[in-house]
Amino acid sequence: MAAAALLLAGCAQTPATNYGELARMEFDAWISVHKQAGWQQTELGSWITEITDDPGAKIAGDASFHPYARISYTVSSLSGTISSTTDKATAQQIGSYVKQNYYGPQTLYRGSNGIYAGLEEVINTMHEGGHARVIIPGWLLTNNRYDSKQKYLDNMTESTSALIYDFTIEEFIVDIDSWELDLLQEALPAGADSLTTGVYYVCDTPADDDTTDFASGDKVYLNYVCRRLIDGYAVDTNIADTAKVYGLYDASKTYSPTLINWADSAGELTMTTSETSMISGFSAAVFQMHLHEKGRAFMVSSQAYQANGSGNTIPGYCPLIFDLEIVE
Protein backbone atom coordinates (compact mmCIF):
# COMPACT_ATOMS: atom_id res chain seq x y z
CA MET A 1 0.00 0.00 0.00
CA ALA A 2 2.82 2.37 0.85
CA ALA A 3 4.49 1.66 -2.49
CA ALA A 4 1.22 2.26 -4.33
CA ALA A 5 0.72 5.58 -2.53
CA LEU A 6 4.20 6.72 -3.56
CA LEU A 7 3.51 5.72 -7.14
CA LEU A 8 0.27 7.67 -7.22
CA ALA A 9 1.96 10.74 -5.69
CA GLY A 10 4.67 10.57 -8.33
CA CYS A 11 2.12 10.37 -11.12
CA ALA A 12 0.28 13.40 -9.74
CA GLN A 13 3.29 15.68 -10.01
CA THR A 14 3.04 18.35 -12.72
CA PRO A 15 6.02 18.19 -15.09
CA ALA A 16 8.25 21.29 -15.13
CA THR A 17 7.48 23.68 -17.98
CA ASN A 18 10.23 23.85 -20.58
CA TYR A 19 9.96 27.58 -21.28
CA GLY A 20 12.98 27.57 -23.56
CA GLU A 21 11.61 24.92 -25.88
CA LEU A 22 8.19 26.57 -26.01
CA ALA A 23 9.79 29.95 -26.78
CA ARG A 24 11.93 28.44 -29.53
CA MET A 25 8.98 26.70 -31.22
CA GLU A 26 6.78 29.78 -31.05
CA PHE A 27 9.53 32.09 -32.33
CA ASP A 28 10.54 29.73 -35.15
CA ALA A 29 6.92 29.50 -36.24
CA TRP A 30 6.61 33.29 -36.39
CA ILE A 31 9.88 33.61 -38.33
CA SER A 32 8.80 30.95 -40.85
CA VAL A 33 5.74 33.04 -41.70
CA HIS A 34 7.32 36.52 -41.71
CA LYS A 35 10.93 35.98 -42.79
CA GLN A 36 12.06 38.07 -45.74
CA ALA A 37 15.05 37.95 -48.07
CA GLY A 38 18.14 39.55 -46.58
CA TRP A 39 17.37 38.78 -42.94
CA GLN A 40 20.42 37.55 -41.03
CA GLN A 41 20.27 35.16 -38.08
CA THR A 42 22.77 35.64 -35.25
CA GLU A 43 24.57 32.80 -33.50
CA LEU A 44 22.31 33.06 -30.44
CA GLY A 45 19.08 33.17 -32.43
CA SER A 46 18.11 36.80 -33.07
CA TRP A 47 17.24 38.02 -36.58
CA ILE A 48 18.71 41.23 -38.02
CA THR A 49 16.18 42.58 -40.51
CA GLU A 50 18.17 45.66 -41.51
CA ILE A 51 21.57 47.10 -40.71
CA THR A 52 23.59 50.13 -41.82
CA ASP A 53 27.12 50.29 -40.51
CA ASP A 54 30.34 52.17 -41.25
CA PRO A 55 33.40 49.86 -41.03
CA GLY A 56 35.63 52.93 -40.85
CA ALA A 57 34.08 54.24 -37.63
CA LYS A 58 34.95 53.27 -34.06
CA ILE A 59 34.10 49.59 -33.51
CA ALA A 60 32.28 48.41 -30.42
CA GLY A 61 34.43 45.43 -29.55
CA ASP A 62 33.34 43.48 -26.49
CA ALA A 63 32.09 45.15 -23.31
CA SER A 64 35.57 45.33 -21.81
CA PHE A 65 36.78 47.45 -24.75
CA HIS A 66 33.96 50.01 -24.71
CA PRO A 67 31.96 49.30 -21.55
CA TYR A 68 29.29 51.94 -22.25
CA ALA A 69 27.24 52.93 -25.27
CA ARG A 70 24.81 55.78 -25.91
CA ILE A 71 21.90 54.40 -27.90
CA SER A 72 18.72 55.80 -29.41
CA TYR A 73 16.01 53.17 -29.81
CA THR A 74 12.38 52.25 -30.29
CA VAL A 75 11.10 48.94 -28.96
CA SER A 76 7.99 47.20 -30.29
CA SER A 77 6.22 43.85 -30.07
CA LEU A 78 6.03 41.41 -32.98
CA SER A 79 2.62 42.89 -33.77
CA GLY A 80 4.19 46.35 -34.13
CA THR A 81 2.93 47.93 -30.91
CA ILE A 82 5.57 50.34 -29.58
CA SER A 83 6.33 49.83 -25.88
CA SER A 84 9.13 52.37 -25.41
CA THR A 85 11.12 54.93 -27.36
CA THR A 86 13.84 57.50 -26.85
CA ASP A 87 12.50 59.60 -29.74
CA LYS A 88 10.30 62.58 -28.85
CA ALA A 89 8.51 62.66 -32.20
CA THR A 90 7.67 58.95 -31.99
CA ALA A 91 6.35 59.37 -28.44
CA GLN A 92 4.16 62.25 -29.61
CA GLN A 93 2.90 60.21 -32.54
CA ILE A 94 1.78 57.24 -30.40
CA GLY A 95 0.38 59.46 -27.62
CA SER A 96 2.86 58.54 -24.87
CA TYR A 97 4.73 61.85 -24.78
CA VAL A 98 5.19 63.44 -21.34
CA LYS A 99 6.80 66.89 -21.32
CA GLN A 100 9.17 66.36 -18.38
CA ASN A 101 10.34 62.91 -19.49
CA TYR A 102 13.77 62.58 -21.05
CA TYR A 103 13.95 61.88 -24.78
CA GLY A 104 17.35 61.28 -26.29
CA PRO A 105 20.17 58.73 -26.32
CA GLN A 106 20.35 56.47 -23.26
CA THR A 107 23.74 55.67 -21.76
CA LEU A 108 23.84 51.93 -21.12
CA TYR A 109 26.38 49.61 -19.49
CA ARG A 110 27.09 46.81 -21.94
CA GLY A 111 28.17 44.15 -19.48
CA SER A 112 26.20 41.48 -17.64
CA ASN A 113 23.29 43.01 -15.69
CA GLY A 114 23.49 46.01 -18.04
CA ILE A 115 21.57 45.35 -21.28
CA TYR A 116 19.79 42.43 -22.85
CA ALA A 117 22.05 39.68 -24.18
CA GLY A 118 20.34 39.81 -27.59
CA LEU A 119 20.95 43.53 -27.98
CA GLU A 120 24.57 43.24 -26.86
CA GLU A 121 25.27 40.41 -29.31
CA VAL A 122 24.38 42.67 -32.24
CA ILE A 123 26.12 45.77 -30.84
CA ASN A 124 29.31 43.74 -30.40
CA THR A 125 30.00 43.69 -34.14
CA MET A 126 28.83 47.22 -34.98
CA HIS A 127 30.49 50.62 -35.24
CA GLU A 128 29.73 54.06 -33.84
CA GLY A 129 26.91 55.65 -35.83
CA GLY A 130 25.58 52.27 -36.96
CA HIS A 131 21.85 51.52 -37.17
CA ALA A 132 20.10 48.15 -36.95
CA ARG A 133 16.66 46.61 -36.60
CA VAL A 134 16.77 43.28 -34.80
CA ILE A 135 14.13 40.81 -33.65
CA ILE A 136 15.23 39.45 -30.28
CA PRO A 137 13.66 36.18 -29.06
CA GLY A 138 12.49 35.78 -25.46
CA TRP A 139 15.48 33.67 -24.37
CA LEU A 140 17.83 36.57 -25.17
CA LEU A 141 15.79 39.18 -23.28
CA THR A 142 17.89 38.59 -20.19
CA ASN A 143 20.73 40.50 -18.56
CA ASN A 144 22.55 37.25 -17.81
CA ARG A 145 25.28 35.93 -20.13
CA TYR A 146 25.82 32.34 -21.31
CA ASP A 147 28.11 30.92 -23.97
CA SER A 148 25.56 29.19 -26.20
CA LYS A 149 22.01 29.45 -27.51
CA GLN A 150 21.08 26.20 -25.78
CA LYS A 151 22.16 27.51 -22.39
CA TYR A 152 19.99 30.60 -22.86
CA LEU A 153 17.07 28.30 -23.70
CA ASP A 154 17.77 26.03 -20.73
CA ASN A 155 17.83 28.97 -18.32
CA MET A 156 14.45 30.44 -19.27
CA THR A 157 12.23 30.45 -16.17
CA GLU A 158 9.16 32.22 -17.55
CA SER A 159 7.37 32.93 -20.79
CA THR A 160 8.90 36.00 -22.47
CA SER A 161 7.67 37.37 -25.79
CA ALA A 162 10.11 38.47 -28.48
CA LEU A 163 10.74 42.18 -29.04
CA ILE A 164 11.90 44.26 -32.00
CA TYR A 165 14.69 46.78 -31.31
CA ASP A 166 15.23 49.54 -33.85
CA PHE A 167 18.35 51.33 -32.63
CA THR A 168 21.23 53.62 -33.51
CA ILE A 169 24.59 53.67 -31.73
CA GLU A 170 25.34 57.34 -31.04
CA GLU A 171 28.59 56.96 -29.12
CA PHE A 172 30.85 54.46 -27.36
CA ILE A 173 32.34 55.41 -23.98
CA VAL A 174 35.39 53.91 -22.31
CA ASP A 175 35.36 55.75 -18.97
CA ILE A 176 31.92 56.92 -17.85
CA ASP A 177 33.28 59.01 -14.96
CA SER A 178 35.58 60.98 -17.25
CA TRP A 179 32.77 61.40 -19.78
CA GLU A 180 30.45 62.89 -17.15
CA LEU A 181 33.19 65.12 -15.71
CA ASP A 182 33.87 66.48 -19.20
CA LEU A 183 30.17 67.39 -19.50
CA LEU A 184 30.34 69.16 -16.13
CA GLN A 185 33.48 71.07 -17.04
CA GLU A 186 31.80 72.41 -20.19
CA ALA A 187 28.82 73.63 -18.16
CA LEU A 188 30.59 75.01 -15.10
CA PRO A 189 30.62 78.80 -14.78
CA ALA A 190 33.75 80.66 -13.73
CA GLY A 191 34.42 80.58 -10.01
CA ALA A 192 32.79 77.23 -9.31
CA ASP A 193 34.21 75.48 -6.24
CA SER A 194 34.85 71.75 -5.98
CA LEU A 195 33.10 70.46 -2.84
CA THR A 196 33.95 66.78 -3.23
CA THR A 197 34.70 64.43 -6.11
CA GLY A 198 32.23 65.17 -8.89
CA VAL A 199 30.34 67.94 -7.04
CA TYR A 200 30.81 71.66 -7.78
CA TYR A 201 29.08 74.72 -6.38
CA VAL A 202 28.84 78.34 -7.51
CA CYS A 203 27.35 81.07 -5.33
CA ASP A 204 25.04 83.41 -7.26
CA THR A 205 23.74 85.52 -4.34
CA PRO A 206 25.87 85.66 -1.15
CA ALA A 207 24.37 84.93 2.26
CA ASP A 208 23.39 87.66 4.71
CA ASP A 209 26.19 86.49 6.99
CA ASP A 210 28.45 83.68 5.84
CA THR A 211 30.28 83.50 9.18
CA THR A 212 27.25 82.10 11.02
CA ASP A 213 26.63 78.39 10.54
CA PHE A 214 23.48 76.42 11.24
CA ALA A 215 23.51 74.12 14.27
CA SER A 216 22.56 70.46 14.39
CA GLY A 217 18.83 70.22 14.99
CA ASP A 218 18.00 73.50 13.24
CA LYS A 219 15.10 73.43 10.78
CA VAL A 220 16.23 75.06 7.56
CA TYR A 221 13.88 75.78 4.64
CA LEU A 222 15.05 75.54 1.06
CA ASN A 223 13.76 76.21 -2.46
CA TYR A 224 15.19 74.11 -5.27
CA VAL A 225 14.98 73.34 -8.96
CA CYS A 226 16.50 70.11 -10.30
CA ARG A 227 17.61 70.18 -13.96
CA ARG A 228 19.21 67.62 -16.25
CA LEU A 229 22.64 68.78 -17.35
CA ILE A 230 22.34 67.15 -20.78
CA ASP A 231 19.47 69.36 -21.91
CA GLY A 232 18.96 71.87 -19.06
CA TYR A 233 15.35 70.82 -18.58
CA ALA A 234 13.83 71.06 -15.08
CA VAL A 235 12.41 67.78 -13.77
CA ASP A 236 11.55 68.66 -10.16
CA THR A 237 10.94 71.77 -8.07
CA ASN A 238 9.06 73.01 -5.02
CA ILE A 239 8.39 76.42 -6.65
CA ALA A 240 4.92 76.70 -8.22
CA ASP A 241 5.80 79.23 -10.96
CA THR A 242 8.82 77.20 -12.08
CA ALA A 243 6.71 74.03 -12.12
CA LYS A 244 4.22 75.73 -14.44
CA VAL A 245 6.93 76.91 -16.83
CA TYR A 246 8.34 73.40 -17.23
CA GLY A 247 5.02 71.57 -17.31
CA LEU A 248 5.55 70.01 -13.88
CA TYR A 249 2.70 71.72 -12.07
CA ASP A 250 0.29 69.52 -10.13
CA ALA A 251 -2.71 71.30 -8.64
CA SER A 252 -3.03 68.64 -5.93
CA LYS A 253 0.51 69.30 -4.70
CA THR A 254 1.49 71.96 -2.14
CA TYR A 255 4.39 74.11 -3.33
CA SER A 256 6.45 75.54 -0.49
CA PRO A 257 10.04 75.55 0.80
CA THR A 258 11.30 72.11 1.75
CA LEU A 259 12.31 71.38 5.34
CA ILE A 260 15.94 70.34 5.82
CA ASN A 261 16.78 68.80 9.19
CA TRP A 262 20.28 70.11 9.92
CA ALA A 263 22.99 67.85 11.31
CA ASP A 264 26.71 67.76 12.08
CA SER A 265 27.70 66.50 8.62
CA ALA A 266 26.37 66.59 5.08
CA GLY A 267 25.69 62.85 5.08
CA GLU A 268 23.42 63.19 8.10
CA LEU A 269 21.11 65.85 6.63
CA THR A 270 17.52 64.70 6.05
CA MET A 271 14.45 66.17 4.36
CA THR A 272 10.89 66.85 5.60
CA THR A 273 9.29 65.68 8.82
CA SER A 274 9.70 62.11 7.58
CA GLU A 275 13.49 62.61 7.74
CA THR A 276 14.12 61.04 4.36
CA SER A 277 17.67 60.78 3.08
CA MET A 278 19.14 63.01 0.36
CA ILE A 279 21.35 62.25 -2.63
CA SER A 280 24.97 62.87 -1.68
CA GLY A 281 25.74 65.68 -4.15
CA PHE A 282 22.65 67.63 -3.08
CA SER A 283 23.46 67.33 0.65
CA ALA A 284 27.11 68.29 0.07
CA ALA A 285 26.02 71.54 -1.62
CA VAL A 286 23.30 72.43 0.89
CA PHE A 287 25.53 71.74 3.89
CA GLN A 288 27.95 74.58 3.09
CA MET A 289 25.24 77.19 2.38
CA HIS A 290 24.03 79.99 4.68
CA LEU A 291 20.84 81.95 5.26
CA HIS A 292 19.37 83.63 2.12
CA GLU A 293 22.20 82.33 -0.06
CA LYS A 294 21.44 81.36 -3.66
CA GLY A 295 23.64 79.08 -5.71
CA ARG A 296 23.92 76.21 -8.17
CA ALA A 297 25.24 72.72 -7.55
CA PHE A 298 26.64 70.60 -10.40
CA MET A 299 27.11 66.87 -9.84
CA VAL A 300 27.92 63.64 -11.67
CA SER A 301 25.49 60.73 -11.51
CA SER A 302 27.54 58.83 -8.91
CA GLN A 303 26.65 61.68 -6.53
CA ALA A 304 23.00 61.63 -7.62
CA TYR A 305 20.86 58.87 -9.18
CA GLN A 306 23.70 56.76 -10.56
CA ALA A 307 23.22 54.06 -13.22
CA ASN A 308 19.47 53.59 -12.79
CA GLY A 309 18.40 57.24 -12.94
CA SER A 310 15.02 58.23 -11.52
CA GLY A 311 11.86 57.16 -13.32
CA ASN A 312 11.44 58.46 -16.86
CA THR A 313 12.67 61.97 -16.05
CA ILE A 314 16.33 61.34 -15.14
CA PRO A 315 18.15 58.73 -17.24
CA GLY A 316 21.05 56.66 -15.97
CA TYR A 317 24.50 58.28 -15.87
CA CYS A 318 22.94 61.74 -16.02
CA PRO A 319 24.76 64.68 -14.35
CA LEU A 320 22.44 67.16 -12.63
CA ILE A 321 22.24 70.86 -11.81
CA PHE A 322 20.38 72.09 -8.73
CA ASP A 323 19.35 75.73 -8.29
CA LEU A 324 19.28 76.27 -4.52
CA GLU A 325 18.11 79.00 -2.15
CA ILE A 326 17.94 78.88 1.64
CA VAL A 327 14.93 81.04 2.45
CA GLU A 328 14.46 80.68 6.22
Side-chain angles (χ1 to χ4, degrees):
M1 290 177 64
L6 288 172
L7 180 61
L8 287 171
C11 292
Q13 291 179 355
T14 303
T17 302
N18 189 334
Y19 288 106
E21 182 61 18
L22 291 174
R24 185 193 62 76
M25 291 191 296
E26 181 181 6
F27 187 67
D28 286 352
W30 188 92
I31 290 295
S32 67
V33 173
H34 296 88
K35 181 184 174 184
Q36 299 178 23
W39 287 18
Q40 308 169 45
Q41 187 175 26
T42 70
E43 182 179 348
L44 298 177
S46 293
W47 284 88
I48 301 172
T49 65
E50 60 183 71
I51 187 166
T52 304
D53 205 19
D54 179 5
K58 185 188 300 182
I59 191 168
D62 61 29
S64 64
F65 188 57
H66 288 119
Y68 301 89
R70 284 178 56 75
I71 302 174
S72 300
Y73 59 81
T74 294
V75 183
S76 59
S77 66
L78 294 181
S79 64
T81 302
I82 295 175
S83 56
S84 64
T85 182
T86 63
D87 181 63
K88 178 180 176 179
T90 301
Q92 291 172 327
Q93 183 179 2
I94 64 175
S96 67
Y97 175 72
V98 178
K99 189 174 182 180
Q100 63 266 34
N101 285 359
Y102 169 71
Y103 297 97
Q106 296 278 348
T107 304
L108 304 174
Y109 174 60
R110 294 176 54 207
S112 180
N113 296 321
I115 61 175
Y116 287 144
L119 184 59
E120 171 58 16
E121 182 192 20
V122 179
I123 290 174
N124 250 337
T125 61
M126 294 179 64
H127 299 74
E128 205 168 68
H131 167 262
R133 186 175 184 269
V134 57
I135 308 171
I136 303 177
W139 62 85
L140 295 180
L141 295 174
T142 173
N143 290 333
N144 296 325
R145 299 290 188 268
Y146 305 104
D147 57 10
S148 70
K149 174 181 175 180
Q150 190 58 50
K151 286 186 178 179
Y152 279 101
L153 291 167
D154 292 343
N155 281 279
M156 281 195 77
T157 58
E158 60 183 3
S159 178
T160 306
S161 299
L163 293 174
I164 301 173
Y165 268 77
D166 194 316
F167 69 94
T168 299
I169 302 171
E170 308 291 349
E171 180 183 8
F172 290 122
I173 300 171
V174 175
D175 187 332
I176 193 66
D177 294 327
S178 295
W179 179 80
E180 288 192 43
L181 282 172
D182 286 344
L183 290 181
L184 277 188
Q185 293 296 334
E186 292 176 7
L188 285 177
D193 295 323
S194 175
L195 302 182
T196 186
T197 303
V199 181
Y200 298 85
Y201 178 79
V202 57
C203 177
D204 294 315
T205 302
D208 296 337
D209 182 359
D210 60 10
T211 63
T212 302
D213 295 325
F214 300 120
S216 181
D218 282 350
K219 297 190 181 303
V220 177
Y221 292 87
L222 173 108
N223 279 336
Y224 70 88
V225 181
C226 174
R227 295 184 284 129
R228 297 184 296 249
L229 180 77
I230 47 181
D231 59 6
Y233 199 87
V235 295
D236 187 25
T237 182
N238 60 359
I239 306 169
D241 287 344
T242 303
K244 292 174 181 177
V245 168
Y246 286 96
L248 304 172
Y249 186 75
D250 182 351
S252 65
K253 179 179 176 181
T254 299
Y255 290 88
S256 62
T258 299
L259 167 64
I260 305 295
N261 304 294
W262 212 258
D264 291 325
S265 67
E268 296 175 298
L269 296 183
T270 60
M271 298 176 66
T272 75
T273 55
S274 299
E275 298 187 356
T276 55
S277 60
M278 302 155 63
I279 58 173
S280 54
F282 183 87
S283 59
V286 171
F287 187 68
Q288 50 81 57
M289 294 179 70
H290 299 82
L291 185 59
H292 298 156
E293 181 176 340
K294 292 182 181 181
R296 284 168 289 162
F298 300 73
M299 63 198 67
V300 294
S301 66
S302 59
Q303 297 283 0
Y305 293 101
Q306 304 183 47
N308 293 326
S310 180
N312 294 318
T313 58
I314 300 175
Y317 306 106
C318 178
L320 297 177
I321 306 171
F322 279 90
D323 302 326
L324 305 169
E325 177 188 11
I326 293 185
V327 296
E328 192 55 80

